[in-house]
Amino acid sequence: MTPFITPAKGRRQKALFLDRDGIINENHGYVYRREDCDFIEEIFELAKAAQAKGYLIIIVTNQSGIAREYYTQQAFFTFSRWLEHEFWRRGIRITHTYHCPHHPKVGGTFGRPCCCRKPRPGMIFRAMRQFGIKLNHSVMIGDSTSDILCAQRARVGQRVLFKQDTSKSSHHTPALERKARGHFVARNLRAITALL
C-alpha cells in the first residue's frame, strides 16, 4: 500500500476521490485478482489531468468481500499494490488507497457497523486529516448513490455520478450534466476534466 506521507506544514491540498469498482476497473463483482481487472476506458487520462492540476488522487472503496470472506485483507492489499503500480507505470501517483472491510449484516471479524462504509464519510474524513485536504475544493467520482451521499455528507465540493454510456447513440447523450440534487452525471470520464 502507499506509505503515509505527512503534508507540508500549513498547506491545504485538494483531492480527486475515486471509488474503485466501476470507476477505475469494471465492476465484475468482488474483484481482487489482477487477472480479473479490466480498467475503465479513460481513467488514466482523467487521473493524469487531475495530477497535472495539483490534485492528490485518493481511492475510497467499500470492500465487503473481506467481511464475507470471499478474499482476505492481504489479498486486497496485494491487489491494491499492483493497481497503484499500474498507475505509477503511466506516470500517475496514487496518494493512498482507503478501504472499508466491514458489512453490518454478516458475521465474523468484520461483520459490524462502522463509520467508514460508504455512504458514511469516514474514509474521506480520514484522508482529510492525514493529508490536509480542503474538501470544498475537491472532487468525488463514484458509480452509486452511496458514493454521492458519502461525498455530500463530507461536503466535497464537486460530486460526479459516473454512468458509463455503452450505447451506439452516445453522441446524442450529454457527456456531463448537472442534476438538481447538487451533483453531476457523467457519461464518460474525459468529460469530468472540465470540473477540475
Side-chain angles (χ1 to χ4, degrees):
M1 299 297 290
T2 310
F4 174 80
I5 295 174
T6 303
K9 187 176 181 180
R11 184 179 178 187
R12 302 295 288 177
Q13 306 194 73
K14 57 188 178 181
L16 174 64
F17 293 102
L18 299 173
D19 178 38
R20 199 194 73 179
D21 301 317
I23 300 299
I24 293 175
N25 55 276
E26 297 284 356
N27 190 354
H28 299 312
Y30 304 106
V31 174
Y32 67 96
R33 302 182 305 176
R34 66 179 70 183
E35 56 265 36
D36 298 327
C37 180
D38 297 310
F39 288 106
I40 299 282
E41 187 178 357
E42 301 169 348
I43 185 57
F44 298 112
E45 181 182 344
L46 170 63
K48 189 168 286 188
Q51 181 173 267
K53 293 185 178 184
Y55 286 83
L56 301 182
I57 301 170
I58 295 175
I59 299 170
V60 286
T61 175
N62 286 351
Q63 291 295 318
S64 69
I66 297 170
R68 298 174 194 273
E69 299 183 352
Y70 296 160
Y71 49 92
T72 64
Q73 281 215 100
Q74 186 55 53
F76 170 79
F77 292 146
T78 298
F79 178 75
S80 294
R81 282 193 294 269
W82 173 80
L83 188 81
E84 291 177 4
H85 182 73
E86 289 301 298
F87 277 83
W88 177 83
R89 288 198 314 112
R90 295 164 173 84
I92 304 159
R93 185 176 184 279
I94 301 297
T95 299
H96 201 78
T97 297
Y98 294 92
H99 77 290
C100 171
H102 308 107
H103 195 288
K105 295 183 179 180
V106 301
T109 304
F110 298 106
R112 57 182 173 81
C114 64
C115 64
C116 54
R117 180 174 168 79
K118 293 179 288 184
R120 292 183 176 179
M123 288 186 283
I124 290 179
F125 286 151
R126 186 177 172 197
M128 177 191 71
R129 292 190 298 269
Q130 289 188 346
F131 295 101
I133 293 167
K134 197 166 186 178
L135 294 178
N136 65 336
H137 288 183
S138 298
V139 179
M140 171 73 188
I141 305 172
D143 68 334
S144 71
T145 54
S146 68
D147 295 319
I148 300 306
L149 184 55
C150 170
Q152 187 177 38
R153 288 174 174 175
R155 298 187 179 180
V156 173
Q158 298 281 15
R159 303 175 294 276
V160 184
L161 181 64
F162 177 53
K163 293 294 184 183
Q164 194 170 18
D165 193 341
T166 57
S167 69
K168 293 182 179 180
S169 59
S170 59
H171 60 283
H172 295 304
T173 306
L176 185 68
E177 54 184 321
R178 181 72 129 159
K179 287 297 183 181
R181 294 187 178 181
H183 68 274
F184 290 88
V185 172
R187 303 298 174 181
N188 65 70
L189 292 178
R190 182 181 289 116
I192 300 171
T193 58
L195 298 177
L196 301 178

